[in-house]
Amino acid sequence: MHHPFHIDLRNLPEEGKDIAGTEPTSFFGLQPQDAVQAVLPLKYELHLAKDGDDIVVTGRLDATFRLECGRCLQSFDHRLLVEDYVAEIPIESKGTINLTDTIREDTLLALPSYPRCEGGNVRSRKCPAEGKFEPAPETVAAETENAGRGAWDALNQLN
């Protein structure tokens, strides 16, 4: 069975170990109804080394995802390239450490929180919803002094 991120610490050389390869899109465990979908396999080039009671993982991660635009709700592709990946994982036992969840979570967390079409870097595109929404006002209009009791006054009376 293929488990590239299961590392036997007893056999990890003093100078560390390099691992490279690909993981299928199923590696991310995304469901078909999720707004994020992996469309190309994860490519990785990592160096693993012990540092005291931790294992330090450095290297490169590369994967392409289909994201949903937060403005127009259309899908677009976004290539995630992490050139300077670093993770420090505590060693909890002397046997084997599994880095699978760490790699998966760190990759997904590196995706944009509020994706927009124009942020897609696989094919350039302009969001079809551009200009259709008015920007939110920068400040809220000030309440007049005669406006009556505000919500904060009601909360203060509870004390």
Side-chain angles (χ1 to χ4, degrees), residues 35-36 67-74 76 78 108-120 127:
V36 174
L67 307 177
E68 186 176 273
C69 178
R71 195 178 330 184
C72 70
L73 303 179
Q74 292 182 8
F76 66 96
H78 178 80
L108 293 174
L109 287 172
L111 289 170
S113 299
Y114 301 101
R116 297 281 177 91
C117 293
E118 61 272 11
C127 183

Side-chain angles (χ1 to χ4, degrees), residues 153-159:
D153 289 335
L155 289 174
N156 287 335
Q157 288 186 351
L158 294 175
N159 293 331

Side-chain angles (χ1 to χ4, degrees), residues 9-137:
L9 298 172
R10 297 169 297 219
N11 296 326
L12 187 62
E14 191 68 32
E15 67 278 3
K17 176 181 180 179
D18 292 321
I19 61 172
T22 61
E23 287 297 309
T25 57
S26 60
F27 169 78
F28 294 103
L30 299 167
Q31 301 302 311
Q33 67 273 15
D34 290 338
V36 174
Q37 294 296 314
V39 293
L40 289 177
L42 169 70
K43 296 177 191 171
Y44 59 90
E45 296 170 8
L46 302 171
H47 179 77
L48 316 169
K50 285 185 195 175
D51 183 20
D53 293 335
D54 297 326
I55 186 163
V56 178
V57 182
T58 57
R60 181 178 191 272
L61 301 172
D62 183 0
T64 300
F65 294 87
R66 183 154 295 130
L67 307 177
E68 186 176 273
C69 178
R71 195 178 330 184
C72 70
L73 303 179
Q74 292 182 8
S75 295
F76 66 96
D77 289 349
H78 178 80
R79 181 179 179 206
L80 177 69
L81 180 60
V82 182
E83 292 279 3
D84 54 354
Y85 178 73
V86 177
E88 200 168 308
I89 301 106
I91 297 172
E92 296 176 2
S93 73
K94 302 283 186 212
T96 302
I97 188 168
N98 184 355
L99 305 174
T100 303
D101 289 342
T102 301
I103 302 292
R104 176 185 301 124
E105 290 169 9
D106 288 350
T107 304
L108 293 174
L109 287 172
L111 289 170
S113 299
Y114 301 101
R116 297 281 177 91
C117 293
E118 61 272 11
N121 54 11
V122 174
R123 282 180 227 79
S124 101
R125 79 180 249 162
K126 185 175 178 180
C127 183
E130 180 69 39
K132 292 187 178 182
F133 301 102
E134 293 182 29

